Amino acid sequence: MNFEEIVKHRRAIRYYDPEKPLDTARVEHCLRLASLAPTSSNLQLWECYHITDPAVIARLAPACFSQTAVTTAQQLVVFVTKPHLWRQRTHELIELYRADTRKHHPEDKWAKYDKLRADYLLKVIPFTYSRGLGLWGLIRKGLVQITGLFRPVPRQMSEADLTAVQHKSCALVAQTFMLAMSAEGYDTCPLEGIDTLRVRRLLGLPRGTKINMIVSCGIRDDRRPVGDRIRVPFESQYHRIGE
């Protein structure tokens, strides 16, 4: 399929064919492709849990309100954000960027690029991602609002704002995964109607882990009509500025 065909093939499928299993290695490959999706500051504060055990899927189903998109699924992928990983990621990225600089740039640029990235990762990121029972987020937001009186600044700096940023990044990963699955001829359904606390406990995930969404996986049951895509008129959403 070309890209347009892949996008049109991807649908939120609610009923999967029990007689058509998935190749687990191919699903994992789609997740590897999804890891190439962009994330804010490239921090990659997400993880995924690829569930292939039917018993685990059955235990998760009640926490997903027993939706058929789960009860008929061959596999599930639980996408989560882990904001506490920012400290680990900054040090990992410094080393990875350092190696990349030496691979792709002349030696006289190494010190400059190393300093630029270290300053951002060791100064800007701690300022942005540090938490303090909500108080530091309020202080940070107040500081940027004052600074914003004199120059452009990023305004979304509260802890709630940063949580939204992490979920947006994770959602980009999940969407990339669903398109990759579509390219394989597989089907998916993104689920947000779930009891996230129960899902976290059932999977034994640590505190601080936030469930972004569950994506169920399978091959659509052709006996169930999918119907047309229902969308509001594109003209009500599209606004051109310029020629």
Side-chain angles (χ1 to χ4, degrees):
M1 291 186 284
N2 62 35
F3 183 70
E4 182 174 348
E5 291 169 333
I6 290 168
V7 172
K8 289 181 176 178
H9 174 268
R10 190 218 58 78
R11 301 290 300 271
I13 298 301
R14 299 289 176 175
Y15 294 91
Y16 299 106
D17 192 330
E19 304 301 323
K20 296 179 180 178
L22 301 180
D23 183 332
T24 299
R26 290 168 67 187
V27 177
E28 181 180 336
H29 178 66
C30 291
L31 287 166
R32 290 182 182 276
L33 292 176
S35 72
L36 300 177
T39 60
S40 182
S41 295
N42 199 30
L43 285 178
Q44 304 163 64
L45 300 177
W46 66 274
E47 290 182 359
C48 63
Y49 294 83
H50 181 191
I51 302 170
T52 59
D53 187 337
V56 177
I57 295 174
R59 288 200 297 272
L60 283 171
C64 301
F65 309 111
S66 297
Q67 298 179 67
T68 55
V70 175
T71 59
T72 67
Q74 298 281 342
Q75 300 182 21
L76 300 177
V77 180
V78 181
F79 288 93
V80 307
T81 64
K82 291 193 172 181
H84 58 279
L85 289 180
W86 69 265
R87 290 183 179 86
Q88 176 184 329
R89 289 287 189 264
T90 54
H91 293 288
E92 290 174 334
L93 287 170
I94 284 175
E95 294 304 315
L96 290 170
Y97 281 135
R98 189 173 185 274
D100 186 73
T101 296
R102 280 143 185 77
K103 181 179 178 181
H104 295 289
H105 298 281
E107 187 173 354
D108 62 335
K109 300 290 186 181
W110 292 356
K112 174 186 175 182
Y113 291 154
D114 287 350
K115 184 178 186 306
L116 284 172
R117 285 161 175 161
D119 284 348
Y120 184 78
L121 290 168
L122 298 179
K123 295 178 182 178
V124 177
I125 293 301
F127 172 80
T128 305
Y129 280 87
S130 293
R131 301 174 67 87
L133 301 175
L135 295 177
W136 174 236
L138 291 174
I139 294 170
R140 186 169 56 222
K141 191 173 182 68
L143 289 173
V144 299
Q145 294 301 326
I146 293 171
T147 306
L149 296 173
F150 308 100
R151 62 184 178 86
V153 294
R155 304 280 175 168
Q156 287 67 47
M157 295 293 282
S158 71
E159 290 188 9
D161 291 332
L162 269 296
T163 296
V165 167
Q166 293 152 31
H167 280 290
K168 285 189 287 185
S169 291
C170 189
L172 290 172
V173 177
Q175 174 68 358
T176 303
F177 168 66
M178 289 187 285
L179 291 174
M181 288 284 281
S182 189
E184 291 285 349
Y186 289 166
D187 293 301
T188 55
C189 183
L191 302 165
E192 294 183 286
I194 54 181
D195 186 327
T196 55
L197 178 60
R198 280 183 166 81
V199 171
R200 182 169 63 80
R201 287 175 174 172
L202 283 165
L203 295 179
L205 303 181
R207 290 176 63 86
T209 301
K210 307 293 185 183
I211 307 296
N212 177 261
M213 70 176 74
I214 294 178
V215 176
S216 66
C217 309
I219 296 175
R220 66 188 69 184
D221 187 341
D222 291 328
R223 294 167 296 183
R224 301 275 186 167
V226 177
D228 294 332
R229 274 194 171 95
I230 306 302
R231 294 292 187 270
V232 299
F234 176 68
E235 291 72 21
S236 70
Q237 299 173 307
Y238 173 71
H239 309 279
R240 179 184 296 179
I241 300 175
E243 295 295 331

